[in-house]
Amino acid sequence: MNSVESQVMVILGARPREARHLLAILQEIQAAFRYLPKEALLIVAGALGISAARVFSVAGFYKALSFTPKGERLLTVCQGTACHLRGSGKLIESLQSRLGFKIGQSSSDGRLGLESVNCLGACALAPVATVDGAVHGHLTPEKALELI
Amino acid sequence: MLLKDQAGLEALRSGLIAGPKPTRRLWVCGGPGCLASGAAKIQEALVREAKGQGLNFEIEFRADLTGCLGLCEKGPLVGVEPEGFLLEKVALADCPELVFETLRHGRPIERLLAARDRFKSHPFYQPQVRQITRRFGQTVPGSLTDYLKTGGYKALGLALTTLSPAEVSLMVERSDLRGRGGGGFPAGRKWASCRLAPGSVKYVLANGDEGDPGAFMNRSLMEGDPFSVIEGMTLGAYAVGASKGFIYVRHEYPLSVERLNRAIQSAEKSGLLGRNILGGSFGFSLEIVEGGGAFVCGESSALMASVEGREGQPRVKYVRSTEKGLWEAPTLLQNVETWANVPLIVENGHEWFKGQGTSQNPGTKVFCLVGQVRRSGLVEMPLGSAIRKLVFDVGGGTGAGRSFKAVQIGGPSGGCLPDSALDLPLDFDNLSSAGAIMGSGGLIVMDDLSCMVDVARYFTGFLMGESCGKCSPCREGLTLLYRILDALCQGRGRSGDTQKLKKLATLLSKTALCGLGQSAANPLLSTLRYFEAEYLEHENEGFCRAGRCQGLFWPRIDQELCSGCGLCRKACPAQAISGQKNKPHKIDLANCLSCGACLSVCRFGAAKAARKDS
């Protein structure tokens, strides 16, 4: 067994092999590899007894899942309404131009990814962003770049 | 300890209430806003500091994270028991003093004092009725002990020993409780329909896929009082005859998942979930399903598809899900806040429940008040309260130098209401006739610097990205609408665009497959209804009166209003503003980028957007 296969088998072993757990399994694979390797998806299809088409279609549907690797560290800018009103649009524009890549992409060395999220619920601190899950408020492009 | 019957439950509760209490307790707000400003570190520091100053943990003090205390704008917040002080903007550096003065001697720190009587007289709290959020500030979320001490599981004990499933269902029917997730559908109708539907396997489901931007009431509830959702669902399962339930939680809420899971585990250990609940024949188990980051999964049929492990796409509802829902079995799906109302109704009766709110809209609703308002936060009010009360009394109105323009209610499916609608009662029916919806209860206040065309573009763009793509009116319609709105905001509008928007939006509302698609044009239609002049200014004059759409205005400084504070000079990215301290400033339009930075920092309303040719 190669490393992808062995890791996927561990993830599959954690719960009953029922098709309803597909999304949860894919999320764990995403967390382990930072993307969904094709090989892993085929193993999952076989193990759950469902078509590869269904696995790929679910994998393509949800925003939390990705076919290409996400950055090792993630800067996620909130695009909620309160953040929009308090300038998240300009924050994103400025980050994109300074980092040289866009929302949903990663730096060429794969170290940093830029993402957006619809709302983090910390609206009083708008505009906000998370770095590897920790929330930071009242951001300016300078403050956001300092965080990473 | 495994509870075998209701008597055991009540004995345990009495014992816990009578048990020893620490002399003083600090409740550090664990809401999303305060956590983001470091509340968890403050709680740890308080415990460490108190132990360092020789205070005895559990005997002389406790300091815990609790549910959201509401006043997010002033976080991190700390509540003090038994004195009832509420402290605001507490920093790590304040902790030693807080322990010495407040925890040891019961004295508040004046500079941090927001209120002496916690949730009573402060203008933010005074109009509120904290019913669903009552445990925020007096329990550790997910602690069964604290839940029991505050009356938790009284309703379930009562139902299992004295009420038949039909009687429990009837109580909810008679309460006229309406679904808190958006549309306000009568909950009792769903309960009755699911209870009477034939089938030996039934499910209860909770919708915790709170995807509306600017809404965190469901998150606050799942993280602040997870047991209330669990107890509500257990009662629902008993009433309709289900033995299995799922809570669908938004992917972005890992803490909700953690707290719900912990609560489920301790309920299982105590015999309040699982087989033979409280020693009887009724059994019910609960599982968390984490979403995958798709807004459409908040729609009921899409949510069920997602629980089944498929793409979260809605289906046409020829048959109600209460008859054929999850895996074709009768399914009772309610928003988490609706579920949290159920124990209150069963414990206190439907007449009591109707004591708050209006006759058609009984009970309270949790709102998130955010945007350009002085006191952002989590607010619980009786249904039917005037919007003005919320925005101005609770929220304190818009910021310095700004005036109120609109309040956006109900998220991406909701609408923008102008000041003429401020005296409307906040309830399901009035909001929908005004062109908005209750939605999950997000209120986003917008001031005169918010451009309504830009707001419509924002929501349309949001929904365009979240459209599941199954039906063409939504998939293609939103793209077309977005293109026109984007052109208007960039000054590329063409004659007739506003009319075209109206036509397309109406078509979309009438032809989309699911509720989300049908309501997707609401932000656009409501802004067109109340703020058409702004659309026409964008279309015909290339002018944005809010000074939001770059290039569609020149900023001007009113020489009479300018105080010469210099904020705009510092904010200007093009160094186009000059002036001496305390003297009126001027803008050199030759260098101006028309970005609006000066408008948003001015506290005196002196910087204004003017037509380019003026």
Side-chain angles (χ1 to χ4, degrees), chain A residues 67-102:
Chain A
F67 292 119
T68 52
K70 296 203 174 188
E72 273 168 53
R73 303 194 67 195
L74 287 183
L75 173 63
T76 309
V77 185
C78 180
Q79 285 188 303
T81 323
C83 287
H84 176 76
L85 290 177
R86 294 192 192 178
S88 68
K90 283 183 180 146
L91 176 65
I92 288 172
E93 267 174 38
S94 163
L95 285 173
Q96 288 184 151
S97 75
R98 289 197 210 183
L99 293 171
F101 54 92
K102 295 206 149 154

Side-chain angles (χ1 to χ4, degrees), chain A residues 19-23 27 54 57-58 61-65 79-82 84-87 90 117-125 135-138, chain B residues 32-33 36 72 213-214 216 219 246 250-252 287 290-293 306 308-312 327 370-372 444 450 454 458-459 462 466 548 595:
Chain A
R20 72 183 180 97
H21 294 304
L22 177 59
L23 176 55
Q27 280 177 336
R54 175 167 168 194
S57 130
V58 168
F61 185 82
Y62 294 98
K63 227 196 280 181
L65 307 172
Q79 285 188 303
T81 323
H84 176 76
L85 290 177
R86 294 192 192 178
K90 283 183 180 146
V117 60
N118 288 337
C119 186
L120 292 163
C123 307
L125 309 176
V135 184
H136 303 273
H138 300 303
Chain B
C72 309
F216 48 96
R219 171 178 175 180
F246 299 93
R250 184 174 175 228
H251 167 71
E252 286 84 353
E287 213 176 285
E290 226 181 298
S306 187
E308 291 174 7
R310 292 186 285 116
E311 308 97 296
W327 290 295
V370 300
Q372 315 289 29
I444 296 143
S450 304
D454 172 65
Y458 167 77
F459 282 111
F462 174 90
E466 293 295 342
R548 176 90 192 184
C595 71

Side-chain angles (χ1 to χ4, degrees), chain B residues 120 133 141 174 272 290 319 346 483 530:
Chain B
K120 288 195 190 108
T133 57
R174 286 193 179 145
L272 294 159
E290 226 181 298
V319 184
V346 173
R483 270 193 214 147
Y530 297 112

Side-chain angles (χ1 to χ4, degrees), chain A residues 21-34:
Chain A
H21 294 304
L22 177 59
L23 176 55
I25 291 165
L26 294 182
Q27 280 177 336
E28 283 183 30
I29 295 174
Q30 172 80 39
F33 297 95
R34 290 187 284 115

Side-chain angles (χ1 to χ4, degrees), chain B residues 53-271:
Chain B
Q53 291 193 25
L55 288 172
N56 246 320
F57 186 69
E58 289 286 6
I59 298 163
E60 287 169 292
F61 87 101
R62 273 194 70 108
D64 298 281
L65 284 172
T66 185
C68 178
L69 298 179
L71 191 48
C72 309
E73 195 77 44
K74 306 279 185 189
L77 301 164
V78 176
V80 184
E81 221 173 68
E83 281 79 4
F85 306 137
L86 182 67
L87 308 174
E88 63 181 31
K89 298 202 169 178
V90 176
L92 276 175
D94 297 320
C95 291
E97 191 185 352
L98 209 161
V99 167
F100 184 82
E101 285 293 321
T102 312
L103 206 49
R104 288 176 74 166
H105 297 105
R107 295 188 293 249
I109 300 175
E110 293 295 332
R111 68 170 189 283
L112 304 176
L113 192 64
R116 285 180 186 278
D117 53 2
R118 281 237 269 188
F119 307 132
K120 288 195 190 108
S121 62
H122 190 287
F124 180 80
Y125 295 104
Q126 197 272 326
Q128 295 196 43
V129 175
R130 297 174 85 249
Q131 210 161 273
I132 292 298
T133 57
R134 68 193 180 286
R135 288 198 179 85
F136 301 3
Q138 57 163 335
T139 60
V140 176
S143 151
L144 183 59
T145 306
D146 282 7
Y147 187 68
L148 291 173
K149 274 193 201 167
T150 48
Y153 280 113
K154 259 190 196 167
L156 187 70
L158 196 76
L160 294 187
T161 46
T162 62
L163 299 168
S164 68
E167 283 169 326
V168 174
S169 176
L170 200 63
M171 288 179 94
V172 174
E173 287 164 53
R174 286 193 179 145
S175 74
D176 291 333
L177 171 67
R178 297 174 69 166
R180 298 305 197 233
F185 190 80
R189 292 236 295 268
K190 277 192 187 175
W191 284 54
S193 161
C194 188
R195 184 172 64 82
L196 297 171
S200 55
V201 177
K202 295 182 185 179
Y203 297 103
V204 292
L205 271 175
N207 187 346
D209 191 46
E210 178 172 62
D212 288 7
F216 48 96
M217 59 294 279
N218 289 173
R219 171 178 175 180
S220 301
L221 184 58
M222 293 185 282
E223 292 175 11
D225 192 5
F227 278 109
S228 66
V229 178
I230 294 169
E231 187 184 359
M233 292 183 78
T234 313
L235 286 160
Y238 176 68
V240 302
S243 55
K244 176 93 196 161
F246 299 93
I247 308 177
Y248 191 88
V249 185
R250 184 174 175 228
H251 167 71
E252 286 84 353
Y253 291 171
L255 187 61
S256 299
V257 173
E258 188 190 314
R259 294 221 171 128
L260 282 164
N261 267 326
R262 201 166 60 198
I264 289 172
Q265 281 164 13
S266 53
E268 280 168 351
K269 273 190 205 139
S270 308

Side-chain angles (χ1 to χ4, degrees), chain B residues 5-77:
Chain B
D5 50 26
Q6 192 207 11
L9 170 69
E10 292 310 324
L12 173 63
R13 187 196 316 283
S14 317
L16 289 173
I17 293 173
K21 263 189 220 139
T23 317
R24 220 164 253 121
R25 292 194 78 154
L26 297 179
W27 293 108
V28 182
C29 176
C34 288
L35 282 178
S37 15
K41 284 206 177 110
I42 287 172
Q43 182 262 338
E44 284 166 19
L46 286 170
V47 174
R48 204 171 42 236
E49 182 66 33
K51 286 183 177 167
Q53 291 193 25
L55 288 172
N56 246 320
F57 186 69
E58 289 286 6
I59 298 163
E60 287 169 292
F61 87 101
R62 273 194 70 108
D64 298 281
L65 284 172
T66 185
C68 178
L69 298 179
L71 191 48
C72 309
E73 195 77 44
K74 306 279 185 189
L77 301 164

